[in-house]
Amino acid sequence: MELATTLKSETIQNNIREVGINPNYWYPVAWASQLKIGKIIPVMIWHLAIAVYRDAQARLHALEDACPHKGVALHKGKVQDCNLACGYHGWEFNGNGECVSIPYLPEGQKLPHAQARSFPVQEKYGLIWIFPGNAVAPELPLIPEFDEPDWLMVPVTAHFQAHFSMCNENTLDVFHGFLHQKLQGWFDPILINLQETPSSVCAEYKVSYKGRLAKFLGLSEHADQVTTLPVSIKYRYPHFYTSLQGISSLYLMRLPVGQVETRSFAFFFFKVRFPKWILTQLKPLMQIVIQRLFLLKFLAQDIEMVESEQRNYLANPHRRYVEINPAIIAAQRLIVRQYKEFIQSS
Ligand code: FES
Ligand SMILES: [Fe+2]
């Protein structure tokens, strides 16, 4: 459905700041390199604590992080071959969460029925993904640039002390170039197209660029030249895809952790005009430079704003706020709709 792009005042419904997730999607929980063979990490998907471990054959398993014996966190245990042994009494659980051994059970005695919930888990694009839902798991988001050698990929992880709706609005809202003006971000945005489906919001803006960053990205020949380009931001629940006309793209995978805690795992791709052999040599250095000199600086400014928004919301949850960007209003509708859909189906 096509929506009007007029900027017009709407009161924000505060329940958006309390709404839960639709868990019937894949959520990224950690970079795969963070989890070595024989190790366990605790992760959280919207208040759901999960212990993820990599067994002796490098396979991933995800179990609820609560031992069926007494509720101790399973991530405090250890990996024994393919199983996870709880740290308290050493009960062992296989990847399906079934208790398969109790070290002090007399020989010949039957194991009790003790089952930890297990979750579908997979490794893709260097990330560990978990499906915490109760429906049929959909496909993972596609990232075609990931395997294409002429794109430079820069990964960025973010951690916000804020509700995921605030973080999502920050990603979808191009009108906050004001915040990044000292970093030579973008200016004069115009919302030119807005589409909404039951599971997505797609906003297209026209945005102007200028400065050293624009020159570096190949948007302009000179740093003082202004270039205006269309930018599309697609919020395909619960993740994002942004494209700047074949010059750069961003895949931002959202992880709502709890009421006021959200993470994201992002892949920035930049089209590089160097010959492939130079790119291969320079890739690690360029990744660090782009990440530290540009992306993390933008991110720090965003985190400061969003966390301040969250603190003020908590201090006075009944205060009404005003929005004029219809893309934000559409994203809020989408978040509420997805949550209600899940509640009604469960
Ligand atoms: S609490 Fe886990 S084995 Fe006893
Ligand atoms: Fe920003």
Side-chain angles (χ1 to χ4, degrees), residues 170-171 173 176-177 179-180 186 298-299 301-303:
N170 169 262
T171 307
D173 186 5
H176 76 276
L179 169 68
H180 302 305
W186 60 90
F298 279 88
L299 180 62
Q301 293 181 328
D302 286 328
I303 290 175

Side-chain angles (χ1 to χ4, degrees), residues 66-74 85-93 103-104:
C67 177
H69 180 206
K70 291 173 90 69
V72 163
L74 281 176
C86 174
Y88 202 1
H89 306 86
W91 291 25
E92 265 184 53
F93 301 89
Y104 53 91

Side-chain angles (χ1 to χ4, degrees), residues 155-177:
V156 174
T157 316
H159 193 182
F160 298 79
Q161 298 301 329
H163 187 266
F164 67 93
S165 63
M166 292 179 183
C167 305
N168 288 350
E169 290 167 25
N170 169 262
T171 307
L172 198 61
D173 186 5
V174 167
F175 293 108
H176 76 276

Side-chain angles (χ1 to χ4, degrees), residues 283-301:
K283 229 176 200 175
L285 181 68
M286 287 174 75
Q287 280 175 329
I288 293 171
V289 169
I290 294 174
Q291 194 185 67
R292 306 241 167 106
L293 291 189
F294 296 118
L295 303 179
L296 292 182
K297 289 187 176 177
F298 279 88
L299 180 62
Q301 293 181 328

